[in-house]
Amino acid sequence: MLTVSLTPHRDFLPADTPDQRLFLMMKIKPQAEAAQSRPSTTFAFLIDTSGSMYENVGGMTKLEVVIQSLKKLLHSGRLTQEDRIALVRFDDQASTLINLTPATQIQTIESAIDQLTKFSGGTVLSRGMDQVLGIIGNQGMTSRRALIFTDGQTIGEEDCRQLANDFAQCNIPITALGVGDYNEQLLDDISNNTGGQFGHVVPQKDLPHQILITDFPSYIIQAYQQAQNEVINNIKLDIQTVKGVKLAKITRVYPDQAEYPLLNPPYPIGNAAAGDDTIYILEFTIDSRTSSRARIAQIGLTYDIPGLNRRGEQPPLNVVVQFLAGQGTVAQVNQEVMGYVQQRNIAQLASDATKIADKDPNKAEQLLETARRLTVKIGNDDMLASLNQASDELRKTRKISSNTRKTVKMGSRGKTIKMEGDIDEQSSLDETIRNITGT
């Protein structure tokens, strides 16, 4: 049901060398029978109903935009009896306006949507997240997803992050969308830790990664289509390593980026869509080893195929590395693997730059320039536009504006480029990154 391949960034590593890193590319792709199935979907919408949601943007209040968008989804013709919707709202309190209901019960769901305008108050996101988890956390054999729409700063950020970890353990991606003066770092963390997406909604679109508020209905429909296309769900990764080898990081690098928390094995790593690869980079740290050919880890996968009402299991795959004496034989790297590693590095460099820009604009500028160089080599034009905007602002004002900061963070984790060719100047760029970030 699932084709899996493993490719290390090097075929050989130097022997008797401490503190080494191995980057292992794992590609997974649904096979024909699974790819042709159609999963049911379970979608929970968590909508901010705090007082600021009644502010006008482009001729409508933010809440009116949400209401219109949800109703357009219901009337899109893309939902069936097997697709279910729940609607939860939050301000300083939270309540479930409608529990999981077949999406074809349009009138019932629209009545619940209309109730969104009956509430107002402060902003406590965690209360809404808790209710959503209670609704969809125990749903099996279905493509599950939560979508948050908010415009404010919330009380209880750490409660939100802990709940995001609970969502991650249940393998439920969160799409976190913000408009106005929201906490982009929190929404970035929530979506990233769950393997979801982060969106910056704007009244006027200046950069490719932004979501124009008038396009919001289409965005929600596309998010639902993506869930319908994820024919493999609830993928869990089990890794057994030998002594002296540790798993340091799991990052999905294609079709978009997410770094999964290493909480409790087996590690939930999201879903896989039909028709294309889903690609991960597994990063290992390796202590010094003598010259030998050795198995350093064993990898297993389990997953659900909701459209076939079946569970699958991948037979264990061995990660074998040849350790050789001397440096001359180990210099060659796999450019495809390193291309994805570099795209991961771009996201980290951009995030670090936005965090330190106010305190240390010179270092932020250096980080952005390195990210720009990598982005040019890889050919991600949309990401390059965001980085150019941030670099220009930093040079002119010695700061990065809130709007640009949000767009850069969203763009750095947005749709990535599928790697096929070589990346020039690889060694010099690697050295630059190590000097700046220690990576």
Side-chain angles (χ1 to χ4, degrees):
M1 289 298 173
L2 200 62
T3 299
V4 183
S5 67
L6 302 176
T7 307
H9 83 290
R10 296 183 189 273
D11 292 325
F12 307 100
L13 290 178
D16 305 311
T17 303
D19 301 325
Q20 295 194 76
R21 298 268 170 166
L22 177 70
F23 300 103
L24 185 71
M25 178 177 68
M26 181 174 72
K27 287 185 179 181
I28 63 177
K29 187 174 184 178
Q31 295 175 356
E33 186 179 1
Q36 292 165 8
S37 66
R38 199 289 202 178
S40 65
T41 61
T42 301
F43 227 106
F45 293 94
L46 177 56
I47 307 301
D48 188 345
T49 54
S50 61
S52 56
M53 286 290 289
Y54 292 87
E55 293 176 357
N56 191 289
V57 285
M60 302 175 67
T61 69
K62 300 169 189 174
L63 203 51
E64 285 172 339
V65 170
V66 172
I67 290 170
Q68 181 189 83
S69 300
L70 292 176
K71 289 184 177 181
K72 283 191 176 182
L73 171 66
L74 292 176
H75 292 278
S76 67
R78 302 183 183 278
L79 309 183
T80 70
Q81 178 74 18
E82 286 70 41
D83 299 310
R84 295 178 298 163
I85 288 176
L87 180 63
V88 177
R89 66 95 209 166
F90 74 97
D91 36 61
D92 47 7
Q93 301 297 322
S95 59
T96 300
L97 300 182
I98 192 168
N99 215 318
L100 288 173
T101 302
T104 49
Q105 296 184 19
I106 294 176
Q107 186 174 353
T108 301
I109 299 173
E110 282 189 332
S111 296
I113 293 170
D114 288 335
Q115 294 179 44
L116 287 168
T117 59
K118 297 180 179 179
F119 303 92
S120 183
T123 308
V124 186
L125 174 58
S126 60
R127 289 176 178 159
M129 291 177 65
D130 188 54
Q131 291 211 15
V132 168
L133 187 61
I135 292 170
I136 64 175
N138 61 356
Q139 301 296 310
M141 284 298 167
T142 183
S143 184
R144 298 176 295 175
R145 185 160 306 205
L147 185 146
I148 296 171
F149 187 91
T150 183
D151 74 336
Q153 308 281 336
T154 184
I155 297 171
E157 291 182 25
E158 290 311 309
D159 291 338
C160 295
R161 289 187 171 90
Q162 182 55 57
L163 280 162
N165 287 337
D166 296 337
F167 274 82
Q169 287 299 108
C170 293
N171 233 336
I172 301 173
I174 295 176
T175 297
L177 304 176
V179 60
D181 186 26
Y182 61 91
N183 184 336
E184 80 275 2
Q185 187 59 57
L186 177 62
L187 295 195
D188 189 19
D189 291 344
I190 288 172
S191 58
N192 186 46
N193 288 349
T194 60
Q197 296 172 336
F198 169 44
H200 178 36
V201 183
V202 295
Q204 181 176 341
K205 187 172 180 179
D206 299 315
L207 291 168
H209 292 293
Q210 296 169 335
I211 303 166
L212 189 62
I213 200 160
T214 54
D215 293 337
F216 189 56
S218 298
Y219 181 90
I220 289 185
I221 293 171
Q222 289 170 5
Y224 225 112
Q225 286 180 281
Q226 181 178 345
Q228 291 172 333
N229 196 40
E230 289 175 346
V231 296
I232 300 292
N233 277 255
N234 197 30
I235 305 171
K236 293 187 178 180
L237 175 71
D238 202 354
I239 298 182
Q240 302 293 327
T241 59
V242 301
K243 185 178 180 180
V245 177
K246 292 182 180 179
L247 177 66
K249 191 178 292 188
I250 303 172
T251 310
R252 185 182 67 218
V253 291
Y254 181 85
D256 54 11
Q257 290 200 48
E259 184 176 327
Y260 294 92
L262 299 179
L263 297 174
N264 301 310
Y267 304 111
I269 59 169
N271 308 323
D276 201 357
D277 297 308
T278 302
I279 303 176
Y280 303 84
I281 292 294
L282 313 181
E283 182 177 342
F284 296 89
T285 61
I286 304 176
D287 289 346
S288 179
R289 301 182 72 89
T290 59
S291 180
S292 63
R293 180 174 173 82
R295 185 183 74 182
I296 64 167
Q298 194 171 56
I299 292 175
L301 294 168
T302 59
Y303 50 90
D304 296 340
I305 314 154
L308 302 177
N309 195 30
R310 192 184 306 174
R311 296 206 71 207
E313 179 181 14
Q314 178 69 30
L317 299 169
N318 293 323
V319 182
V320 178
V321 176
Q322 180 76 51
F323 294 89
L324 295 178
Q327 296 288 332
T329 56
V330 297
Q332 188 66 37
V333 298
N334 183 294
Q335 293 294 333
E336 182 185 7
V337 178
M338 291 309 298
Y340 289 116
V341 173
Q342 297 297 42
Q343 292 196 70
R344 190 196 69 173
N345 288 341
I346 291 170
Q348 186 62 56
L349 289 165
S351 177
D352 290 347
T354 60
K355 289 178 183 177
I356 67 170
D358 289 345
K359 295 181 180 179
D360 193 344
N362 290 330
K363 185 168 184 180
E365 193 170 357
Q366 191 178 13
L367 291 170
L368 286 174
E369 179 56 29
T370 303
R372 286 180 68 257
R373 289 178 62 198
L374 287 169
T375 304
V376 168
K377 297 297 177 185
I378 289 167
N380 190 333
D381 293 337
D382 286 352
M383 185 61 212
L384 183 61
S386 299
L387 292 171
N388 285 338
Q389 174 79 9
S391 296
D392 289 344
E393 282 190 8
L394 198 55
R395 281 194 298 270
K396 293 175 182 177
T397 68
R398 310 310 290 161
K399 292 183 179 181
I400 299 175
S401 69
S402 174
N403 193 54
T404 300
R405 186 178 66 236
K406 291 168 182 174
T407 301
V408 168
K409 284 187 178 180
M410 184 187 77
S412 66
R413 284 186 40 228
K415 188 170 180 60
T416 47
I417 300 298
K418 197 164 191 179
M419 303 307 304
E420 295 177 354
D422 290 349
I423 300 177
D424 299 330
E425 301 181 11
Q426 184 69 49
S427 60
S428 63
L429 287 172
D430 283 346
E431 187 65 30
T432 302
I433 290 172
R434 282 194 294 271
N435 291 339
I436 294 176
T437 68
T439 302

